[in-house]
Amino acid sequence: MTPQPRKPRIVMKFGGTSVGDVERIKAVAQRVKREVDAGAEVAVVVSAMSGVTNQLVEWVRSISRLHDAREYDAVVSSGEQVTSGLTALALQEIGVPARSWHGWQIPITTDDAHGKARIEQIDTAEIDKRFQQGMVAVVAGFQGIGPDNRVTTLGRGGSDTTAVALAAALKADRCDIFTDVDGVYTTDPRIVAKARKLDKITYEEMLEMASLGAKVLQIRSVEMAMKHRVRLQVLSSFTDTPGTLVVDEEEIVEQELVSGIAYSRDEAKITLRQVPDKPGIAASIFGPLADHNINVDMIVQNVSEGGKTTDLTFTVPKAELERALKVLGDSRGQINYKALVPDPNVVKVSVIGVGMRSHAGIAQRMFKALAEKSINIQVISTSEIKISVLIAEDYTELAVRSLHTAYGLDAA
């Protein structure tokens, strides 16, 4: 007897706005039904209804500022449990067999870092069995179970991570991330009206865009998709237009030189004036910052005319500026700088594209475009597929628009 061909297997993830109320949950059920009717085996991953997680976090903090992280997870994971149950009910109401699963029921096992746990393993045996019975699995995102047998949560954006990890474990053909945007754009459409939606983007480019300010996908989920080669699709819950596929570089035949322009307002600049120019000085600056878990990003050093001192400029997350200044203030005797100059009014603008690997002159085009608009570059950093510059925040929109045009990304 000839074995039956394997049905296509899809993981569909719906974010908070997609399941924001009962009517939207019913609309999600209809979307899932379409895939089931087309012959697919479907696992659905849901977030909490929009605003619910924030409310739960607020309640925890109103009772205890220094709360027990295990009880925090018990409370904030409940939002996804409600949504998964409601979604399963909505599917049953339209004739689609479905059941809801909490993280511990699958189980999705994690480490014990409550509030920011990492997934270690997903046992898909029971879901595989339910697929054989024609059932849809509706999984509560953002949660798992730790080694202490307690509920854990995966941190902000954790439902994306759940979806990708589940897709990898189930060997799914595709993981669809439904959100309130209809794909990945060449830049923020709110700034550049001519921004184009990309049909495909590589994992590497998406990872850079996510880390550099694009809020479409959570960084950990892209890292996981890249590691396990899970084909991702970003698309809107509210329209039926095709989305953007996040895929291996080999899947994109004609590589664009530059795929997108990203920007991040979450940067702050610190300059240390007249630091002694001697071995070990960088360690005395960045060591204490690392000890306080303050991430340093862009760094530039200028040696003074005499060669005895140097000015050192670097960036930290804007939210960490105050802490960084305190750490550096406490270390002043060790570093021996003359002045400490903070500047929170900066923005990092980045040009991203795997096409950069094989083309020269990308940076020169960036610098020329900014110079033509009289925009001063304060710091530069590069990697194989990106160039980032730090500029004054006032020039954000002008810089993004100018670069979008300079690299030929404007829609016709």
Side-chain angles (χ1 to χ4, degrees), residues 111-334:
D111 61 18
D112 61 357
H114 285 274
K116 52 177 187 299
R118 298 190 84 82
I119 294 172
E120 293 184 342
Q121 191 179 358
I122 299 180
D123 184 346
T124 61
E126 198 59 35
I127 289 180
D128 281 325
K129 196 160 84 180
R130 300 303 176 113
F131 278 167
Q132 298 298 316
Q133 298 165 9
M135 191 173 280
V136 169
V138 185
V139 179
F142 177 62
Q143 61 179 251
I145 186 161
D148 56 358
N149 229 27
R150 307 241 358 205
V151 171
T152 55
T153 64
L154 310 179
R156 298 305 279 184
S159 293
D160 281 0
T161 307
T162 302
V164 174
L166 187 62
L170 287 168
K171 297 182 172 54
D173 299 274
R174 198 177 69 241
C175 178
D176 288 346
I177 308 281
F178 289 86
T179 180
D180 50 3
V181 296
D182 60 352
V184 180
Y185 279 75
T186 48
T187 195
D188 187 342
R190 293 168 301 180
I191 285 184
V192 182
K194 292 183 174 180
R196 284 187 291 115
K197 185 169 71 177
L198 297 164
D199 294 329
K200 289 182 180 178
I201 187 170
T202 68
Y203 295 118
E204 291 92 338
E205 289 169 329
M206 191 65 244
L207 200 53
E208 291 286 9
M209 289 182 86
S211 65
L212 293 165
K215 301 286 195 285
V216 181
L217 282 173
Q218 200 259 351
I219 296 169
R220 265 170 70 191
S221 66
V222 183
E223 284 174 342
M224 192 174 286
M226 186 169 160
K227 181 181 174 185
H228 296 286
R229 291 300 184 251
V230 173
R231 296 178 93 242
L232 282 180
Q233 184 176 207
V234 181
L235 62 175
S236 169
S237 300
F238 310 115
T239 64
D240 278 332
T241 53
T244 299
L245 276 168
V246 187
V247 293
D248 251 331
E249 203 173 321
E250 291 74 44
E251 278 201 52
I252 302 177
V253 182
E254 190 68 28
Q255 276 299 348
E256 290 283 348
L257 194 61
V258 165
S259 293
I261 315 293
Y263 67 95
S264 171
R265 299 185 195 271
D266 300 330
E267 307 286 324
K269 182 178 75 165
I270 296 173
T271 301
L272 294 176
R273 301 249 188 250
Q274 296 185 32
V275 178
D277 190 18
K278 62 181 184 182
I281 200 68
S284 69
I285 294 167
F286 299 120
L289 291 170
D291 292 343
H292 287 79
N293 294 314
I294 297 169
N295 184 42
V296 174
D297 182 17
M298 308 168 87
I299 304 171
V300 66
Q301 183 174 345
N302 301 304
V303 179
S304 66
E305 284 180 31
K308 293 205 176 355
T309 63
T310 182
D311 289 350
L312 209 140
T313 298
F314 54 91
T315 62
V316 297
K318 197 172 280 189
E320 302 284 2
L321 178 59
E322 209 171 305
R323 273 202 322 132
L325 294 175
K326 185 181 185 312
V327 170
L328 293 167
D330 292 344
S331 307
R332 184 167 192 167
Q334 188 186 348

Side-chain angles (χ1 to χ4, degrees), residues 23-163:
E23 290 310 310
R24 286 184 177 177
I25 289 170
K26 288 178 179 176
V28 161
Q30 291 292 346
R31 267 194 185 268
V32 174
K33 185 177 189 297
R34 288 213 299 264
E35 296 290 356
V36 172
D37 290 347
E41 294 175 339
V42 182
V44 180
V45 174
V46 290
S47 297
M49 296 159 87
S50 52
V52 167
T53 302
N54 288 342
Q55 177 66 77
L56 294 168
V57 170
E58 202 177 299
W59 284 340
V60 169
R61 287 181 177 157
S62 68
I63 287 178
S64 172
R65 298 301 295 179
L66 298 169
H67 47 257
D68 180 335
R70 295 163 300 185
E71 300 304 345
Y72 170 92
D73 278 356
V75 174
V76 300
S77 62
S78 64
E80 282 73 16
Q81 291 166 196
V82 170
T83 318
S84 59
L86 291 173
T87 305
L89 285 170
L91 284 162
Q92 290 170 12
E93 280 298 300
I94 56 173
V96 178
R99 74 151 277 192
S100 65
W101 302 79
H102 299 173
W104 62 269
Q105 292 174 307
I106 294 173
I108 297 173
T109 54
T110 73
D111 61 18
D112 61 357
H114 285 274
K116 52 177 187 299
R118 298 190 84 82
I119 294 172
E120 293 184 342
Q121 191 179 358
I122 299 180
D123 184 346
T124 61
E126 198 59 35
I127 289 180
D128 281 325
K129 196 160 84 180
R130 300 303 176 113
F131 278 167
Q132 298 298 316
Q133 298 165 9
M135 191 173 280
V136 169
V138 185
V139 179
F142 177 62
Q143 61 179 251
I145 186 161
D148 56 358
N149 229 27
R150 307 241 358 205
V151 171
T152 55
T153 64
L154 310 179
R156 298 305 279 184
S159 293
D160 281 0
T161 307
T162 302

